[in-house]
Amino acid sequence: MKTQRTQELGELGELAFRELASAAGGVRAVRSAIARRTFAAVRLGVGPAVLPTQLMHDAIAAGTYASIVAACSGAAKAVGALTGGDAVIEDDPRPSPSHTTRGAQTIAVLHGLIGDDMEKTARVLAYPMSIRVDGRPVVPKYRALAAAFPDAGAHLVLFMHGLVETESAWRLGGRPTYGERLDSEADTTSIFLRYNTGRRIATNGADLSDLLEQLVQAWPVRVHRITLVGHSMGGLVSRSAAHHAAESGRRWVDLLTDVFTLGTPHLGAPLAHGVHVATAALALAPETRPFANLLARRSAGVRDLIHGSITEAEGHASYADGFDVGIAADISVPEGVRHHHASAVVTGNPRHPVGIFVGDGLVRTDSAGGRNKLRNIGLRPDDGLAINNAHHFTLLNDERVYGWMRRALVGDKATNASG
């Protein structure tokens, strides 16, 4: 029997050794490809005399890298065997990595990179979507919710973080979160969620829909209103959940009045698109093919960012990398739900060519607004907010964004009255 802390630390160590073994294999492949090309060029000058040297080189290199891979693989298995078993949290008073800010952030980065693979192989690190309070999960059951939210209200605001983030991202700069301010000024109850961002967006959307259905039924008081707030990928997960709920007849969606998406790549992210094409290009030459294989390991969640895909029927989670990036559907939130969307530009002038081209550094403004010359997911320009001199992560905690959000939820009169 092992504690959760031991299991998580052990699994992190096991994963590290496994990735080292994979990296060593990649280095060997690059070196071998370069060596073959080099010896081929030498043969043109000196003829077959170079063959013994090449054979000796290949044998030494193969033995060296095989030893490194074997050692790392063996260490991974040993660590896994030593730290496996059932978790008994109460036996160790020290917090598990997933319950600390730094530990959770480390796991979140791994989720974003290879979270779909971890879901198949990990024992404790690929934990399900969960409500988090002070870093710890809260099950969606009456007693647990009543204890975690003693001042539970009827208007729930759920916050979804973005790729490789955790719920701690909303506390950017050490300032109070949007949720904390809304709770004190707008009579809401904010709930922060954590999820594996490497899974397909549609899968996380379905899980969010299921969680909300349980949450509404188990909430200590009757829920009258639900608002979803998502940063970056979190906005896509929110839209996916609303779409899933409307399609499957979930009751919670009838309580949904507003969705806020902050820097969300509704039409896709240029970086995800670029990596997809770069992977295909790198695969063309033996010397760069190992780098293509490395990029090809990127998670299903990252692949879904190519087009901002929110359903199982679209996206590139299982597509072979190539120069064709496919298509995506234009799906908005259910009718009757107001969709607010915020974007940012890194320049002082939003019409500056640099600002137009790079947007907030990761997401362009047309994608954040869900509309360009080829696609339109139905977001109203009047429900948008554009801020300048800001980057992608500014949107997580910015006074301009908070004021806009609060006005949308409680009206201008209440905002003016509070100063």
Side-chain angles (χ1 to χ4, degrees), residues 82-346:
L82 287 172
T83 58
D86 299 325
V88 184
I89 301 175
E90 54 271 15
D91 280 359
D92 193 337
R94 295 171 298 177
S96 303
S98 63
H99 297 166
T100 66
T101 301
R102 289 185 178 180
Q105 183 58 62
T106 299
I107 297 170
V109 171
L110 293 173
H111 280 174
L113 296 175
I114 54 173
D116 51 342
D117 181 64
M118 289 175 64
E119 191 175 27
K120 302 171 186 176
T121 60
R123 296 181 299 275
V124 292
L125 293 183
Y127 37 73
M129 180 179 291
S130 57
I131 300 166
R132 295 277 167 162
V133 175
D134 295 330
R136 295 180 178 271
V138 178
V139 295
K141 295 184 178 180
Y142 174 81
R143 290 188 177 181
L145 293 170
F149 300 93
D151 299 319
H155 181 184
L156 306 184
V157 183
L158 288 93
F159 289 83
M160 299 291 295
H161 59 75
L163 180 71
V164 303
E165 296 173 359
T166 72
E167 72 282 0
S168 297
W170 297 103
R171 200 172 294 281
L172 182 70
R175 297 185 295 271
T177 65
Y178 296 144
E180 290 169 340
R181 296 182 64 179
L182 286 172
D183 290 354
S184 64
E185 300 174 16
D187 197 27
T188 62
T189 300
S190 295
I191 300 172
F192 295 88
L193 304 182
R194 187 191 299 177
Y195 65 102
N196 178 347
T197 59
R199 304 167 77 218
R200 290 215 63 183
I201 288 171
T203 304
N204 279 323
D207 283 358
L208 175 57
S209 179
D210 292 343
L211 179 60
L212 277 163
E213 192 77 357
Q214 298 175 57
L215 184 63
V216 168
Q217 295 177 19
W219 194 245
V221 301
R222 184 175 180 180
V223 179
H224 292 161
R225 184 179 179 185
I226 294 174
T227 297
L228 300 180
V229 182
H231 176 246
S232 196
M233 178 188 281
L236 296 175
V237 174
S238 298
R239 280 181 51 218
S240 180
H243 175 72
H244 179 273
E247 292 289 304
S248 57
R250 294 301 180 94
R251 289 177 292 179
W252 72 265
V253 77
D254 296 331
L255 302 172
L256 180 64
T257 61
D258 300 86
V259 174
F260 292 85
T261 56
L262 316 178
T264 293
H266 296 294
L267 308 183
L271 183 59
H273 183 285
V275 170
H276 181 78
V277 174
T279 304
L282 289 170
L284 297 177
E287 291 85 353
T288 57
R289 196 165 296 141
F291 297 104
N293 295 335
L294 177 63
L295 292 177
R297 292 190 60 206
R298 67 194 186 280
S299 68
V302 171
R303 291 173 182 268
D304 277 337
L305 292 178
I306 295 173
H307 287 303
S309 306
I310 65 170
T311 67
E312 292 287 354
E314 51 180 345
H316 295 261
S318 59
Y319 290 10
D321 287 300
F323 296 103
D324 178 15
V325 295
I327 58 174
D330 291 337
I331 301 169
S332 191
V333 291
E335 187 176 349
V337 177
R338 192 173 178 185
H339 193 144
H340 316 267
H341 47 97
S343 63
V345 292
V346 296

